[in-house]
Amino acid sequence: MEPIDEHFVRGVRALEAHGAAAASENDGALSRLFDAQAQSRHLDLVARSLQAEGRGYYTIGSAGHESNAALGLLSRVDDPALLHYRSGGFYAARASVAGSTEPVRDVLRSLTSSSQDPMSGGRHKVFGHPALHIVPQTSTIASHLPRAVGLAYALDLARATGVRTPWPEDALVVCSFGDASANHSTAAGALNAAAYLAHRRVGCPVLFVCEDNGIGISTRSPRGWPGAALRTLPGLAYRQVDGDDPETLLSVVAESLAEVRRCRRPGVLHLRTVRLMGHAGSDAEIAYRSQQEILADYERDPLLASARVLVERGVATADELLDRYEAARRTVLDEAAHVLEEEPIGSRETVVAPIAVSAPAPSWAAPPVGTGPALTLAQAINATLAELMAAHPETLVFGQDVAVKGGVYGVTRGLHKRFGARRVFDTLLDEQTILGVALGTALAGFVPIPEIQYLAYLHNAEDQLRGEAATLAFFSDGHYRNGMVVRVAGLAYQKGFGGHFHNDNSLAVLRDVPGLVLAVASHPAEAPGLLRGCVALARDEGRVCVLVEPIARYHTRDLVEDGDGRWTAPYADHDTAPPGSVVWHGEGRDALLVTFGNGVYLSRRAAATLAAEDVDVTVLDLRWLAPLPVEALVAAAGEFGAVLVVDETRRSGGVAEGVVATLVDHGYPGRLARVASADSFVPLGPAAETVLLGEDEIVAAVHRLLGPTPRSPRPGPGGAHRRS
Ligand SMILES: Cc1ncc(C[n+]2csc(CCOP(=O)(O)OP(=O)(O)O)c2C)c(N)n1
Ligand SMILES: [Mg+2]
């Protein structure tokens, strides 16, 4: 028996009634609080025995934090909640209010990785349930705070724009986290963003709950620090309460929730707790805490505190409470026996199903032909954004400088004026917040199209895409999705201008995020279809898409000669590119140049040089870099005796590695080579050319590849390879 279990039983036995107090309206709530807390405690206890038997996989518990049950009891079931990992009390309480779920069974399913787990389908231990409006969180502490702010912002934005969300108009967001986590820059950024919105009097109804047990694993929070840091957030009402004072707890929680709901402003509840039984089952806290200190926390056990008040007030006797406590134990043990009979999650296909991108039939074709005046890439994307915003009222465009200025490169020009400040807005200068707004608004039913000003500045906020956006469908078995299209201005070739941070050419971190769709635009003829394809994936399937736009090509007009206008195109308003669809340029049969982004421009220029030397190549624009358009790539390559992969990103970890490996995997029998940029940051000025892949290298590589051997036979009229 765990010492805290014994301590509780002994403690309750010793309680004495003081003679019945006058009945209070809180008595019912106190009673329910106790039952939720007891349920949570027994789930913690059984999690440890299951782990010891090798049949449970998670032991981070809620013991000592069960006072958070007050929030589950007093918030509404349809207030979306993004919770700390010690939220057993909250979960049990909300489930008891909802009355529609099987909380004990469901938590046990989660601990044992059962395929019947209603939230993650057995993929992970999370607190979440679609019917309880608890959105599952990752283990990355504080990473859910930007989404919580974005979601609270979205609730009021939805009201103002008439977009329907899954939640009522007066809903609020409950967001909890630990005291050590409050120091994380992600938490600090989100709290700052909430304060910024409060300062601007923009609705953001979120209650931040800091569950302060005074320690993060073994590192103590300096005495008074969490309160000092949280109390001074401008515009946020701060309240504090002790988790072992249940009566005050109920009233402070009720006040906090009511104020956020009424005023639509963020608030902070500083909930002082203890951590019982160490950080997790594997944590021997005696290594860093004295026995005296550990035992002192037993006296602040919130479950015992609830029992004490119930007995003191004469609402229940000590024996009755012990009966309820033991009944909760039996229920948990019975349910555990039942759940252990269930199948664990099975095949690889089942595991990856929520993040598998369904690729429609692959296609390969020349770029579509549009009508009207010739547009640059920036103009074509601008026109497509306008078209999509007009067609879909739930689309939002936001980022740094995208509104009145219309973006650093004019890509969002005119959208603010045409669609208004609610749908096209500037954010504060924090990429985590930009992505947090996307995460929250997407969850609420909007289709966010945030802009990241430069690729280098996505990297500082990447985990919001990797850890949050991309994992949501996975950890919720597809119950929750956050479809979005993150537009990123990026890549190099700006004639030495801007140095590394404005010429960043690293895409590797995006390509290895499971389920994330990465597309790279190149030419104004195909970019509209690509953007429409991304928005369709976000809207219809809830996919997380990143569309990288090559800055160097935004305003390019000509390809080979001044005035040729070959990097402009009339607007193609009919084309939607599905993932897996590629475009190609040229009819050459000597070699296939496989590329994307600026590589298309470089390769087509190289193709013109080669043509003058009587070498005829075709340029294939992959467009979709994750997942790669494997079928189209393999089929196209199969029609050529030589393939050169032209990759403007780095040699190590660059795109070419994946393309070449794909061709090798599929047994491509021809000659195969790659050219790429150097493993370097991009320097300022002409030195940029020393590290970036150049046209000459492409031309030389084609010659090397073809060598003196005969070339592929030329097809008859009409070219056998031209299909769509
Ligand atoms: C970003 C990140 N860094 C490190 C960890 C490892 N880690 C897990 S819990 C934890 C301590 C968190 O302490 P606190 O926020 O006080 O929550 P508590 O466990 O005390 O409730 C750490 C460092 C993590 N999960 N995420
Ligand atoms: Mg802590």
Side-chain angles (χ1 to χ4, degrees), residues 443-528:
L443 198 57
F446 289 93
V447 178
I449 312 180
E451 177 178 296
I452 300 289
Q453 217 162 62
Y454 293 96
L455 182 55
Y457 308 134
L458 176 67
H459 297 322
N460 76 64
E462 226 140 53
D463 187 57
Q464 290 295 306
L465 280 183
R466 170 184 298 271
E468 287 291 317
T471 61
L472 184 67
F474 189 79
F475 292 138
S476 72
D477 201 18
H479 289 296
Y480 289 107
R481 291 190 175 271
N482 40 208
M484 63 179 75
V485 181
V486 183
R487 294 181 38 252
V488 187
L491 303 171
Y493 298 99
Q494 295 170 71
K495 301 194 172 120
F497 184 79
H500 172 69
F501 296 95
H502 304 91
N503 287 272
D504 193 326
N505 59 352
S506 170
L507 297 174
V509 285
L510 293 167
R511 287 199 63 236
D512 87 337
V513 180
L516 188 142
V517 175
L518 173 64
V520 180
S522 64
H523 190 276
E526 59 79 42

Side-chain angles (χ1 to χ4, degrees), residues 71-292:
L71 284 142
L73 214 52
L74 298 177
S75 61
R76 296 189 193 152
V77 173
D78 51 11
D79 284 333
L82 288 71
L83 299 178
H84 189 40
Y85 47 75
R86 301 199 192 278
S87 292
F90 183 105
Y91 190 87
R94 181 166 278 194
S96 92
V97 174
S100 57
T101 63
E102 300 174 308
V104 173
R105 187 171 293 192
D106 291 343
V107 172
L108 288 165
R109 284 170 162 157
S110 183
L111 292 169
T112 55
S113 183
S114 160
S115 56
Q116 304 305 304
D117 165 18
M119 188 74 270
S120 82
R123 288 177 187 79
H124 224 274
K125 165 68 185 75
V126 287
F127 276 118
H129 200 299
L132 302 179
H133 301 277
I134 302 176
V135 183
Q137 297 313 303
T138 70
S139 291
T140 312
I141 52 91
S143 73
H144 56 303
L145 271 70
R147 188 201 291 278
V149 174
L151 180 55
Y153 174 75
L155 292 177
D156 278 23
L157 186 66
R159 197 153 56 164
T161 52
V163 167
R164 283 174 60 90
T165 81
W167 300 290
E169 285 205 339
D170 61 349
L172 55 79
V173 178
V174 180
C175 172
S176 54
F177 50 92
D179 53 301
S181 307
N183 297 303
H184 200 278
S185 62
T186 311
L191 291 166
N192 179 70
Y196 179 96
L197 290 170
H199 181 78
R200 291 182 49 211
R201 303 193 181 287
V202 176
C204 183
V206 53
L207 181 62
F208 294 107
V209 182
C210 178
E211 298 188 10
D212 179 4
N213 56 23
I215 200 162
I217 304 189
S218 70
T219 308
R220 283 158 224 266
S221 290
R223 194 177 292 276
W225 167 247
L230 293 167
R231 192 180 283 122
T232 50
L233 292 163
L236 271 63
Y238 168 90
R239 289 180 174 80
Q240 64 178 24
V241 68
D242 290 323
D244 61 348
D245 177 359
E247 291 179 288
T248 315
L249 172 73
L250 288 172
S251 62
V252 172
V253 165
E255 272 168 35
S256 300
L257 289 165
E259 186 178 59
V260 171
R261 196 181 309 283
R262 192 180 62 249
C263 304
R264 318 305 291 164
R265 286 163 78 91
V268 173
L269 176 63
H270 182 183
L271 176 57
R272 285 195 296 245
T273 69
V274 286
R275 188 191 71 185
L276 303 173
M277 300 200 287
H279 177 72
S282 55
D283 174 35
E285 60 177 341
I286 195 68
Y288 55 86
R289 298 182 79 197
S290 70
Q291 186 67 12
Q292 203 181 6

Side-chain angles (χ1 to χ4, degrees), residues 8 11-12 15-22 24 26-31 33-34 37 242-250 301-318 321:
F8 173 78
V12 175
L15 292 175
E16 283 176 25
H18 290 185
S24 141
N26 260 351
D27 288 349
L30 284 166
S31 209
L33 187 69
F34 173 83
Q37 292 177 322
D242 290 323
D244 61 348
D245 177 359
E247 291 179 288
T248 315
L249 172 73
L250 288 172
D301 178 353
L303 182 57
L304 188 53
S306 296
R308 189 177 295 125
V309 172
L310 286 168
V311 173
E312 281 176 1
R313 295 188 52 74
V315 181
T317 65
L321 292 182

Side-chain angles (χ1 to χ4, degrees), residues 319-340:
D319 284 345
E320 280 165 3
L321 292 182
L322 283 175
D323 283 350
R324 275 153 69 178
Y325 184 70
E326 292 307 326
R329 189 194 307 274
R330 277 194 304 280
T331 304
V332 168
L333 290 173
D334 290 352
E335 288 287 355
H338 178 90
V339 163
L340 286 171

